[in-house]
Each structure stands twice: as C-alpha cells, then as structure tokens.
Amino acid sequence: QTAEDCNRKIGSSFSLIETQLNNGMRLAVKSSKSSVLRWGSQPPRGYLYSTYKATCGRNGTFTSPSCGTIDFNEELTHPMFTPVMVIWSEVFSDSPLCSKSVFQHLQTFKVDVLENLRHFFSDLKWQLQRIKGDPQPVDYILRQQLSAVEAKLQNFTLMLMVDITARQRNISRILTPSVQKEMTPAYTVCQLQTGSG
C-alpha cells in the first residue's frame, strides 16, 4: 500500500507537468505563425533577407554581426516553457514544504515503510507477549534489521533521486533540439529560396 501511495503521488505530480506541457504546446503552436511572419519581415521587427537565409541555412541558429545570436528554435520553444516552469520547479524541488515534489514523495515513502516495519514488529511483540512468548528475539531482530532497512531505503531513495534529477535535466534539454529537428525541412525550403529578398 505504501508503494502504491508513493507511485500514485509521483504519477499525479508528473501528470501536472504533462498538463502544463500540453498547454505550452498549444501556446507555442498558436504563437509560431506570428514568429515566422516576423522573422521574414524587414528590420527592425524582422531580419534582413541575407540574415534570414543564413539562419535558415544553419537550421534556425545563426550569429549575426549586426543582430547577435539568432535562434528560431529557441523562440518557437519558449512558449512551451512558460506554463511548465513553475510546476516543473515544484515537482523537482527538494523543499520539504512542496507537496508536489517527487523527492518529498520518496522521503514520505521511506518514512512510511520504516513506520510500517516498526508497527509490524511492535504488533509481533504484542502477539508474543499475549501468548506468553519471549519478545527478546524480536527486539534483537528489530534493532538489527531496522537500521539495515533504513540504510537500504536511504540508498534506494538517493539512487532514485539522482536518476530522476539526471532524467529531468535531459528532458528539459530536448525540447529545443526536437523543435529544430522538426523544423529542418522547413529551414531547407526557406534556405533554397532565391531572389533579392
């Protein structure tokens, strides 16, 4: 039951991210047309034709002497990040005050497992005393096993936290390259355009 509760809470936290990511994708799709139209317009709103073409020829990224770094992919991705950023920081927070934090769910899991184990041994001792059995072996096992289980749970939760942290960093880094990959055919078509602008 404890593991199921933890799994449900973590799933709920991740579904909050998924919901906000879907909201962000809708915003990004909605704003993409105006971004693309702006890029193709004349300065100061847009870019010179040569800068636009050079940016398309480099899959949406270019450093221009006059405009600085241009990243069409980042601009297209930005609306996705806005709704996700707050919930993302809450879900991956290590603050004990954050009820949506995956790390807090794992800590709660660890505490609950240890409490269940203590309760099990306490109940076992009570049952032994009720039938006039010797509770000392149970006390001995409890002292040995509780610290061993606590250490294993601590290692388990730390390994999960390290893995989750690494994965969440990777996930947060793949949005812009994914947009770039999807945009590459469009950049190719734009770069192949000819004319004076």
Side-chain angles (χ1 to χ4, degrees), residues 34-165:
S34 63
S35 294
V36 171
L37 290 174
R38 184 182 51 73
W39 300 336
S41 63
Q42 293 297 313
R45 253 178 51 87
Y47 299 104
L48 294 172
Y49 176 70
S50 58
T51 303
Y52 174 78
K53 190 166 173 141
T55 306
C56 289
R58 290 167 182 80
N59 292 326
T61 60
F62 179 62
T63 302
S64 159
S66 58
C67 299
T69 301
I70 301 167
D71 192 336
F72 291 169
N73 308 302
E74 187 71 38
E75 189 173 334
L76 291 171
T77 308
H78 182 75
M80 280 191 263
F81 284 119
T82 304
V84 171
M85 284 177 8
V86 172
I87 195 67
W88 188 276
S89 61
E90 288 177 5
V91 168
F92 295 108
S93 168
D94 58 0
S95 168
L97 304 176
C98 187
S99 64
K100 297 173 185 123
S101 168
V102 170
F103 303 122
Q104 290 311 309
H105 297 325
L106 290 173
Q107 289 301 326
T108 301
F109 169 75
K110 181 181 84 171
V111 168
D112 289 351
V113 166
L114 290 172
E115 188 56 39
N116 288 342
L117 192 59
R118 283 185 190 97
H119 180 72
F120 168 78
F121 277 110
S122 175
D123 190 46
L124 183 59
K125 280 174 45 178
W126 181 79
Q127 295 287 344
L128 281 171
Q129 289 170 342
R130 212 178 92 208
I131 61 170
K132 309 283 191 241
D134 184 9
Q136 282 185 329
V138 173
D139 282 333
Y140 176 75
I141 292 170
L142 175 62
R143 282 192 303 273
Q144 277 192 329
Q145 294 302 310
L146 197 59
S147 60
V149 168
E150 188 169 10
K152 285 184 180 191
L153 278 171
Q154 183 65 28
N155 286 337
F156 173 72
T157 55
L158 284 174
M159 284 176 20
L160 281 176
M161 287 186 220
V162 167
D163 186 53
I164 289 168
T165 300

Side-chain angles (χ1 to χ4, degrees), residues 149-193:
V149 168
E150 188 169 10
K152 285 184 180 191
L153 278 171
Q154 183 65 28
N155 286 337
F156 173 72
T157 55
L158 284 174
M159 284 176 20
L160 281 176
M161 287 186 220
V162 167
D163 186 53
I164 289 168
T165 300
R167 288 176 187 234
Q168 69 97 13
R169 285 184 184 139
N170 286 338
I171 290 167
S172 68
R173 293 179 187 137
I174 64 170
L175 284 176
T176 302
S178 295
V179 167
Q180 183 178 38
K181 181 180 176 186
E182 293 299 315
M183 289 295 297
T184 298
Y187 292 142
T188 302
V189 169
C190 292
Q191 205 274 329
L192 293 174
Q193 291 180 350

